[in-house]
Amino acid sequence: MGEETHAEKANGEVVSESSVKYYTLEEIKSHNMCKDTWLVIHDKVYDITCFLEEHPGGEEVLLEQAGADATESFEDVGHSIDAREMLEQYLVGEVHMDDRRKDCTQDTFITTSGEASSWTMWFIPVLAAAVFGLMYRYYTLEQQSS
Ligand code: HEM
């Protein structure tokens, strides 16, 4: 069900039977000039040639990433929802399945943040109990001495 067959053209472009076009990283890399600029963001391929001059963040930052995966830099800037919606109009296809990066950084991030939250989950009650215990002791000693 939903299986796609892919045929690779001589220029590296991979055409699937569905309407989505798949491109290899090799093919994407060749679109790295100011007159022909492609970018990859979240495994989607964008032809941003005519957007270079319009980009509010300047064309230099886009040209630095030309022909490559710009997901990290795009996310680092914290682009608005409007900026994300703008992407749609430049979409030309997707990165070929074999060339997609395994998102292990995200896994590590989730694991690390999970560990951090479980650590605080036991540390805060223990600290609160210790403070409460000390206060109680101080209070009872005060009353005994008076
Ligand atoms: C095709 C992809 C991109 C689109 C459609 C896009 C769109 C936009 C838009 C609309 C803004 C205005 C602020 C906002 O609405 O968030 C913006 C700002 C900016 N963008 Fe992009 N951008 C793209 C890719 C990138 C990439 C790959 C980088 C970094 C290498 C980048 C760096 C910046 C910077 C530095 C600003 C200025 C932020 C500021 O002054 O606060 N953009 N972009």
Side-chain angles (χ1 to χ4, degrees):
M1 197 182 69
E3 236 177 74
E4 290 169 351
T5 42
H6 300 106
E8 190 160 342
K9 285 202 217 163
N11 64 0
E13 182 184 327
V14 180
V15 190
S16 89
E17 276 185 354
S18 73
S19 56
V20 181
K21 269 191 168 183
Y22 290 93
Y23 297 96
T24 60
L25 288 183
E26 200 62 29
E27 158 73 345
I28 298 163
K29 218 188 326 182
S30 64
H31 299 270
N32 63 356
M33 297 147 255
C34 57
K35 286 198 172 116
D36 177 20
T37 318
W38 285 16
L39 277 189
V40 173
I41 297 171
H42 293 297
D43 291 327
K44 293 198 169 153
V45 185
Y46 301 96
D47 181 348
I48 49 144
T49 316
C50 56
F51 175 66
L52 289 175
E53 284 179 20
E54 290 172 37
H55 183 226
E59 62 182 316
E60 291 80 18
V61 284
L62 297 183
L63 286 169
E64 270 170 29
Q65 310 285 328
D69 193 328
T71 309
E72 229 174 281
S73 10
F74 181 81
E75 292 301 344
D76 281 353
V77 171
H79 281 91
S80 64
I81 293 170
D82 278 356
R84 285 160 204 278
E85 284 172 357
M86 281 171 79
L87 284 175
E88 282 301 305
Q89 53 188 302
Y90 306 108
L91 186 71
V92 289
E94 293 186 16
V95 177
H96 188 257
M97 296 299 172
D98 296 345
D99 278 351
R100 291 189 184 195
R101 59 192 185 138
K102 315 277 170 281
D103 223 340
C104 42
T105 42
Q106 210 173 24
D107 289 351
T108 326
F109 179 71
I110 290 163
T111 321
T112 323
S113 63
E115 272 168 15
S117 65
S118 63
W119 182 78
T120 46
M121 264 170 74
W122 66 259
F123 182 73
I124 291 171
V126 166
L127 189 72
V131 171
F132 186 75
L134 279 171
M135 279 169 70
Y136 181 75
R137 227 181 111 101
Y138 177 76
Y139 208 70
T140 46
L141 283 174
E142 276 276 288
Q143 277 188 340
Q144 271 170 17
S145 61
S146 59

